[in-house]
Structure formats: structure tokens, C-alpha cells
Amino acid sequence: MAVSDKVLGGGMLFIALFVFIYYTTWAIILPLIDSSSPVHDYFPDREWAVRLPAFLLVVGLTAIGLFVGLTIVKENKKKAQKARLRTA
């Protein structure tokens, strides 16, 4: 199992490195390159360099908020059930 964990971790690290290099090139380096360069064909419009991370941030924060909210509700139900059992 340790080998598969290392392979999974290495794969995740490779993907994170690729995304970091691609996004850095897209958002920071690409504006410095002439717009007639064929390098621009490999990237979407620059407006998406802001929209995509903003969307992912909103989705991620929403997912975290839902998880925390559902966990709180579930814990309150357990506490209420334990309180009912004590009084019964």
C-alpha cells in the first residue's frame, strides 16, 4: 500500500506542478509576449485567468460551508436524540 500512496502523491504533485506552470505562464508571462505569437493559441482569453480561479474559489468555499453546516446540523440532531433518551 505504501508504494501506491507514493505513486498517488507523485501524480498529484505532478498535476499541481503542471497547473502552476500553465497558470503562471498564462496569467503572468503571456502578456509580455507579442500577441501575434503562436504561443497565444495554447491558452484561453486572459479574462478567464481571473474568472476561473474566482469561480473555483466560490465553489470551494460553498462546499466547505455546506460541509460545516451539515456537520453542525447532524451533531445537533445527535445531541437532541441523546437528551431525549436521558429524559425517557
Side-chain angles (χ1 to χ4, degrees):
M1 184 141 191
V3 175
S4 65
D5 289 344
K6 287 183 180 181
V7 171
L8 179 63
M12 291 170 59
L13 185 62
F14 176 75
I15 290 171
L17 182 65
F18 174 77
V19 168
F20 175 75
I21 291 171
Y22 184 86
Y23 183 78
T24 302
T25 304
W26 180 26
I28 297 174
I29 298 173
L30 203 60
L32 303 175
I33 299 174
D34 187 26
S35 61
S36 63
S37 175
V39 174
H40 284 271
D41 296 337
Y42 296 109
F43 299 93
D45 291 336
R46 283 195 54 221
E47 68 186 39
W48 289 101
V50 175
R51 285 183 181 183
L52 185 63
F55 174 75
L56 292 175
L57 181 67
V58 168
V59 169
L61 290 175
T62 302
I64 291 170
L66 282 171
F67 174 76
V68 170
L70 291 174
T71 303
I72 290 172
V73 167
K74 198 180 290 186
E75 288 297 318
N76 286 341
K77 284 183 181 179
K78 285 182 183 178
K79 286 180 184 178
Q81 186 178 11
K82 284 183 182 179
R84 270 189 256 129
L85 290 175
R86 282 188 213 148
T87 59

